[in-house]
């Protein structure tokens, strides 16, 4: 009996074009639109070495400290190991000019972002404002401030010159950055993870349909099933299994599309990705079943409720604006745990960024917990076997 | 008894939908349940099927108490709902197989039953069609096939011919008689008097939540005042001038005039046609077309339930 109903539920749900559109086609289309919108954004974050000019004045030739500093800023940072992929490009590429006129011409021609001319102090010449110009300004200001401080100390205590030189050369940093994973941060992923969360929550349509199909006070088909010599909860259970399977396959197709067509990086922990997807599907389907069971209104009203709530949850999980995810949780920390869409998106996020699984399993645990809660509510509504009115 | 209902009371808030409703249906009957809108027919059916809760009374099916979990009883009941209850995404064959499968787990036996049901309703050419591609009549036939494929002993049909063309209706009615001949007991609710008159072996008329008359077709006709309905066309005189004259004759129950035609109803058990024609001849009145008919179930229904319009919605 289980397989009989399961197989026919599979057939009828797969053939329901409207259902398949919302659970599969719509997320894929939205993912494609995200792909188009974000295709050029990640490139803007790439840092290029700044082309800077220096006028070879007598003061510059005499200032070995500045020459050394500039030379250091023009070298690649090779202190990081190549294995962790963090070796950086040099800050500056320095070109020397014999006169200020030559440097000014190079600036006008756009060959350099700015040039420095030293006499009694450093002068920075630029033609426009921007990131490169700001960095050059910060650099020269920093140098003037540091050199002034050193001069002042040495004037007051000449014996400390060698000690200061040692401290400056070591460039001690007291705060170190520790990466929790080898994956580079990517804000775009928040959108795709929220998209998967939305798709999971759209499994609610499947859950709602299964409830309506077996409820005698909601559809004529429900009345017919109710009259069969079987416990309708058993029929409902097999229908839910079919619905969850369809939703799971839809989500895997979506993830496959994002990973292999749009080249979205989900990391390489396939087993955990499958687990998070399954937890998300269970939550989505059970949520729809609960809405279907609790509301006595027609299919249109229930669909409206599901779309509204799913979109709200997905919005708070960062579907439209990634920053909302963080702001929402910052303002109301409990949202991180009571918003199923956030739990789904955060499961993928935790898998991608963290080496430990504490956060991942917390999220997945909450998702399965919500599924059980939703199904318990459905059970309470559906356990009655006849109705006061139809 | 196949169905026995005693003192059934069902309330919707302040509205009493079933007021000490009683019903006995014996094996082999086609029992017709007639009643105006809101009389409680569908409520009664839904209570018998344990779809609805009720406030008081007892319901027995196959001599056992009927409850929502009486699965041993339910397996022998087939229901054809007022609304078409099929799954849009399954074909004709799949729909019948799916619903039959809820009663008959064995695949091989079910295959045979589904084929028989398809042949029975004449949907052999449409097995791969989806419901939305079927006409209203074919859809009704599919609805019937889904309800009877498992060969139930008791079939309950709640207005199965609503919005069906005459050919399909005739096909459905013939099918019900065939099912009955094959051994099924049928409870049939309808608004259509001629259908009930045509197929039902016993009829109950419901009004305001209770059975107000019950019996065979002939027994019901014997319960009303009207004996014959006579229609006489006047050729040489105005029938309005002779209304009092005809009313004064013996055993005349009522006289009406429509244009040049006089409509006369005689009292139950009396034939007045020859007397009326003889008397009119004495007045030198020439008559044209003359009809005389016995009362129909419609007359019985209207006399028992009254002629006022019923706009109450059937629950």
């Amino acid at each position: 009996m289980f397989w009989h109903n399961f197989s026919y539920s599979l057939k009828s749900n797969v053939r329901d074009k409207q259902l398949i559109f919302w659970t599969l086609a719509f997320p894929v289309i939205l993912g494609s639109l995200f792909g188009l919108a974000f295709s050029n954004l990640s490139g803007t974050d790439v840092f290029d070495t700044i082309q800077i000019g220096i006028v070879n004045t007598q003061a510059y030739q005499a200032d070995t400290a500045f020459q050394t500093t500039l030379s250091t800023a023009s070298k690649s940072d090779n202190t990081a190991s190549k294995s962790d992929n963090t070796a950086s490009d040099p800050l500056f590429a320095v070109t020397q000019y014999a006169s200020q006129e030559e440097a000014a011409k190079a600036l006008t021609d756009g060959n350099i972002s700015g040039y420095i001319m030293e006499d009694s102090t450093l002068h920075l010449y630029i033609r426009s404002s921007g990131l490169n110009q700001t960095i050059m300004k910060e650099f020269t200001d920093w140098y003037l401030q540091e050199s002034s401080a050193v001069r002042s100390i040495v004037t007051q205590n000449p014996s400390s010159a060698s000690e200061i030189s040692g401290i400056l050369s070591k460039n001690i940093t007291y705060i170190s950055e520790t990466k929790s994973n080898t994956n580079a941060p990517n804000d775009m992923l928040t959108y795709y993870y929220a998209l998967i969360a939305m798709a999971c929550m759209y499994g609610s349509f499947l859950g709602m349909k299964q409830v309506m199909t077996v409820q005698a006070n909601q559809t004529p088909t429900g009345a017919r099933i109710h009259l069969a010599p079987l416990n309708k909860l058993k029929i409902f259970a097999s229908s839910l299994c079919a619905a969850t399977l369809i939703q799971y396959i839809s989500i895997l197709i979506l993830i496959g599309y994002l990973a292999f067509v749009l080249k979205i990086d989900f990391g390489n922990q396939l087993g955990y990705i499958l687990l998070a997807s399954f937890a998300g599907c269970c939550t989505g389907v059970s949520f729809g079943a609960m809405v279907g069971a609790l509301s006595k209104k027609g299919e249109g009203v229930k669909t409206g409720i599901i779309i509204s709530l799913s979109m709200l949850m997905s919005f708070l999980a960062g579907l439209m604006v990634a920053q909302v995810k963080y702001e929402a949780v910052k303002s109301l920390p409990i949202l991180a745990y009571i918003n199923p869409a956030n739990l789904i998106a955060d499961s993928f996020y935790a898998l991608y960024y963290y080496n430990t699984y504490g956060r991942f399993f917390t999220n997945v645990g909450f998702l399965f917990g919500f599924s059980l809660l939703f199904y318990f509510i459905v059970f309470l509504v559906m356990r009655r076997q006849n109705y006061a009115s139809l | 008894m196949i169905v026995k209902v005693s003192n059934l009371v069902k309330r919707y808030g302040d509205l009493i939908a079933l007021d000490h409703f009683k019903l006995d249906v014996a094996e082999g009957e086609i029992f017709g349940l007639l009643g105006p809108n809101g009389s409680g027919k569908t409520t009664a059916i839904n209570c018998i099927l344990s779809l609805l809760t009720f406030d008081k009374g007892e319901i027995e099916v196959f001599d056992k108490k009927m409850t929502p979990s009486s699965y041993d009883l339910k397996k022998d009941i087939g229901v054809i709902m007022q609304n078409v209850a099929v799954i849009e995404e399954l074909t004709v064959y799949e729909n019948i197989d799916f619903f039959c499968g809820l009663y008959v787990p064995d695949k091989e036996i079910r295959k045979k039953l589904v084929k028989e049901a398809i042949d029975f309703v004449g949907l052999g050419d449409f097995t791969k069609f989806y419901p939305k591609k079927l006409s209203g009549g074919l859809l009704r036939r599919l609805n019937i096939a889904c309800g009877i494929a498992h060969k139930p002993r008791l079939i309950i049909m709640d207005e199965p011919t609503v919005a069906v063309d005459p050919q399909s209706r005739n096909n459905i009615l013939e099918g019900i008689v065939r099912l009955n001949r094959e051994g099924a007991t049928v409870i049939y609710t309808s608004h259509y008097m001629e259908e009930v008159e045509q197929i039902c072996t016993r009829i109950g008329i419901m009004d305001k939540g209770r059975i107000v008359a019950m019996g065979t077709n002939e027994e019901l006709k014997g319960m009303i005042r009207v004996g014959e309905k006579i229609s006489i066309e006047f050729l040489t005189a105005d029938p309005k001038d002779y209304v009092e004259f005809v009313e004064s004759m013996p055993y005349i129950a009522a006289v009406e005039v429509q244009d040049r035609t006089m409509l006369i109803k005689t009292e139950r058990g009396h034939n007045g046609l020859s007397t009326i024609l003889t008397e009119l001849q004495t007045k030198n009145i020439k008559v044209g077309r003359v009809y005389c008919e016995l009362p129909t179930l419609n007359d019985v229904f209207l006399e028992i339930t009254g002629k006022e319009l019923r706009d109450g919605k059937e629950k």
Side-chain angles (χ1 to χ4, degrees):
Chain A
M1 194 55 62
F2 178 89
W3 291 110
H4 174 76
N5 190 49
F6 179 82
S7 61
Y8 274 118
S9 287
L10 270 184
K11 272 186 192 175
S12 64
N13 287 320
V14 166
R15 289 174 187 169
D16 190 331
K17 289 176 186 146
Q18 206 176 349
L19 209 56
I20 295 301
F21 173 80
W22 287 111
T23 54
L24 178 61
F26 181 68
V28 166
I29 292 167
L30 203 54
S32 305
L33 293 175
F34 277 4
L36 286 173
F38 298 152
S39 57
N40 294 321
L41 283 182
S42 56
T44 58
D45 292 337
V46 175
F47 173 77
D48 291 324
T49 299
I50 300 167
Q51 299 294 326
I52 187 170
I54 184 84
V55 180
N56 196 7
T57 58
Q58 284 184 342
Y60 173 69
Q61 287 169 6
D63 190 350
T64 53
F66 184 58
Q67 285 176 31
T68 307
T69 305
L70 202 56
S71 169
T72 305
S74 307
K75 288 178 186 169
S76 294
D77 177 11
N78 292 320
T79 55
S81 70
K82 286 186 180 175
S83 62
D84 69 2
N85 206 24
T86 57
S88 61
D89 292 332
L91 183 62
F92 295 131
V94 182
T95 307
Q96 283 196 14
Y97 296 96
S99 65
Q100 187 177 5
E101 288 73 26
E102 281 181 35
K105 186 172 184 306
L107 178 63
T108 309
D109 293 345
N111 296 330
I112 53 176
S113 298
Y115 67 88
I116 297 169
M117 193 174 79
E118 186 174 4
D119 42 32
S120 57
T121 185
L122 296 178
H123 300 279
L124 175 65
Y125 294 88
I126 55 174
R127 276 178 62 88
S128 59
S129 59
L131 181 64
N132 289 355
Q133 289 74 11
T134 304
I135 291 171
M136 287 191 290
K137 174 82 166 56
E138 289 291 320
F139 175 78
T140 50
D141 287 349
W142 168 81
Y143 178 77
L144 288 172
Q145 192 179 4
E146 293 277 319
S147 58
S148 171
V150 170
R151 265 197 299 273
S152 174
I153 293 167
V154 170
T155 305
Q156 291 171 16
N157 185 9
S159 62
S160 64
S162 59
E163 192 181 343
I164 290 169
S165 173
I167 291 169
L168 288 175
S169 66
K170 282 182 185 170
N171 194 20
I172 297 168
T173 304
Y174 295 97
I175 300 170
S176 63
E177 183 182 347
T178 305
K179 292 184 71 61
S180 59
N181 203 315
T182 55
N183 295 320
N186 184 350
D187 281 346
M188 298 304 124
L189 291 178
T190 303
Y191 291 98
Y192 290 104
Y193 293 160
L195 174 70
I196 294 169
M198 184 206 77
C200 285
M201 293 313 295
Y202 273 12
S204 301
F205 295 119
L206 279 157
M208 179 189 78
K209 186 181 174 184
Q210 310 319 307
V211 166
M212 292 187 70
T213 304
V214 297
Q215 287 284 74
N217 60 347
Q218 296 192 13
T219 55
T221 317
R224 197 189 278 289
I225 287 173
H226 197 98
L227 296 169
L230 293 168
N231 188 324
K232 69 173 175 178
L233 285 174
K234 288 182 183 171
I235 299 174
F236 178 60
S238 57
S239 300
L240 276 181
C241 289
T244 307
L245 178 62
I246 290 169
Q247 175 66 0
Y248 192 44
I249 292 170
S250 299
I251 293 298
L252 294 186
I253 291 172
L254 173 66
I255 291 175
Y257 176 76
L258 295 177
F260 298 113
V261 179
L262 299 184
K263 307 292 182 195
I264 305 302
D265 191 2
F266 287 92
N268 52 6
Q269 303 177 83
L270 184 63
Y272 291 107
I273 290 170
L274 295 177
L275 179 63
S277 307
F278 183 69
C281 292
C282 288
T283 310
V285 173
S286 61
F287 178 72
M290 183 184 70
V291 172
L294 286 177
S295 171
K296 298 286 174 286
K297 303 288 181 188
E299 188 178 359
V301 174
K302 288 178 185 178
T303 303
I305 292 171
I306 285 174
I307 289 180
S308 307
L309 292 178
S310 297
M311 291 313 290
L312 177 65
M313 290 179 206
S314 305
F315 171 72
L316 293 174
L319 181 67
M320 286 84 167
V321 183
Q323 200 57 28
V324 169
K325 172 183 165 67
Y326 310 108
E327 292 298 328
V329 173
K330 200 167 80 181
S331 308
L332 197 60
I334 198 170
L335 270 181
Y337 302 104
I338 63 166
N339 177 3
N342 187 65
L343 289 168
I344 297 166
D346 204 63
S347 298
F348 288 96
Y349 185 89
L351 267 186
Y352 188 79
Y353 286 115
Y354 296 100
N355 278 330
T356 55
Y357 295 108
R359 183 163 166 173
F360 171 77
F361 280 117
T362 302
N363 290 333
V364 170
F366 267 94
L367 287 171
F368 281 124
F370 271 122
S371 303
L372 288 174
L373 174 68
F374 295 154
Y375 280 135
F376 181 67
I377 293 168
V378 172
F379 169 75
L380 290 180
V381 176
M382 288 182 63
R383 67 182 168 159
R384 66 176 178 194
Q385 295 189 306
N386 51 7
Y387 303 85
S389 65
L390 292 176
Chain B
M1 283 293 163
I2 294 290
V3 176
K4 184 176 174 63
V5 181
S6 315
N7 288 316
L8 191 64
V9 176
K10 169 70 184 172
R11 292 190 183 90
Y12 294 112
D14 294 335
L15 177 76
I16 299 175
L18 294 175
D19 183 9
H20 296 89
F21 174 81
K22 293 175 189 169
L23 179 68
D24 291 324
V25 180
E27 187 158 14
E29 279 192 299
I30 302 180
F31 184 86
L33 196 55
L34 284 174
N37 285 337
S39 60
K41 301 186 297 293
T42 301
T43 299
I45 295 295
N46 287 336
C47 285
I48 292 169
L49 292 169
S50 274
L51 271 174
L52 281 176
T53 56
F54 49 87
D55 301 283
K56 194 180 161 189
E58 281 187 12
I59 298 169
E60 286 182 9
V61 178
F62 306 128
D63 295 322
K64 288 181 184 172
K65 190 178 178 186
M66 181 72 175
T67 65
S69 55
S70 299
Y71 301 134
D72 55 329
L73 305 181
K74 282 184 172 182
K75 70 182 171 54
D76 283 323
I77 302 173
V79 183
I80 290 132
M81 317 293 288
Q82 193 171 343
N83 298 316
V84 174
V86 296
I87 297 172
E88 290 293 322
E89 293 82 18
L90 298 180
T91 64
V92 164
Y93 184 91
E94 289 167 342
N95 261 297
I96 301 170
D97 186 51
F98 170 67
F99 287 112
C100 185
L102 301 178
Y103 296 79
V104 184
D106 189 288
K107 218 170 180 177
E108 285 307 309
I109 296 172
R110 198 165 70 232
K111 203 171 177 181
K112 187 170 160 280
L113 290 173
V114 171
K115 189 181 178 310
E116 283 177 14
I118 288 170
D119 292 341
F120 181 81
V121 295
L123 285 175
D125 295 333
F126 304 95
T127 52
K128 290 183 178 170
F129 279 53
Y130 287 97
K132 62 184 169 191
K133 297 283 180 190
L134 299 177
S135 66
L138 292 175
L139 204 55
R140 286 279 165 187
R141 286 199 241 165
L142 171 60
N143 196 36
I144 291 170
C146 291
I148 55 105
H150 58 288
K151 300 251 183 212
R153 283 170 62 200
L154 169 64
I155 300 172
I156 296 178
M157 299 180 153
D158 190 6
E159 303 192 30
T161 57
V162 170
V164 169
D165 62 85
Q167 285 80 6
S168 293
R169 178 179 295 177
N170 193 51
N171 180 283
I172 290 168
L173 295 178
E174 285 176 0
I176 293 167
V177 173
R178 259 186 294 154
L179 285 168
N180 178 247
R181 283 189 194 134
E182 289 170 12
T185 302
V186 180
I187 297 177
Y188 186 89
T189 79
S190 179
H191 283 119
Y192 301 115
M193 306 299 152
E194 68 280 7
E195 283 184 3
V196 175
E197 204 168 0
Q198 184 183 335
I199 65 167
C200 293
T201 52
R202 207 156 59 95
I203 299 158
I205 296 177
M206 276 190 82
D207 197 19
K208 294 172 184 168
R210 56 167 62 199
I211 297 271
V212 290
M214 193 186 301
T216 63
N217 193 10
E218 293 307 315
E219 284 170 347
L220 287 175
K221 286 174 185 171
M223 290 178 191
I224 60 171
R225 287 188 305 123
V226 178
E228 285 177 346
K229 290 195 296 182
I230 299 163
S231 165
I232 301 170
E233 184 187 21
F234 281 55
L235 295 178
T236 56
D238 187 348
K240 285 177 189 164
D241 299 336
Y242 293 91
V243 170
E244 282 185 23
F245 175 66
V246 174
E247 278 178 342
S248 66
M249 295 178 195
Y251 311 121
I252 300 298
V255 180
E256 283 178 48
V257 173
Q258 284 180 359
D259 297 329
R260 299 195 64 79
T261 303
M262 182 176 278
L263 304 170
I264 305 154
K265 290 178 181 173
T266 65
E267 289 179 3
R268 186 175 62 201
H270 297 281
N271 305 316
L273 180 61
S274 60
T275 310
I276 295 165
L277 288 177
T278 306
E279 292 295 327
L280 289 177
Q281 215 169 11
T282 61
K283 297 284 183 184
N284 288 326
I285 296 167
K286 289 188 177 175
V287 298
R289 284 172 292 188
V290 176
Y291 300 100
C292 178
E293 58 181 351
L294 292 169
T296 62
L297 195 57
N298 197 50
D299 299 313
V300 177
F301 184 80
L302 288 176
E303 185 166 323
I304 289 174
T305 61
K307 287 187 175 179
E308 72 270 24
L309 291 173
R310 307 297 176 95
D311 53 3
K313 194 182 174 190
E314 189 91 359
K315 288 275 182 181

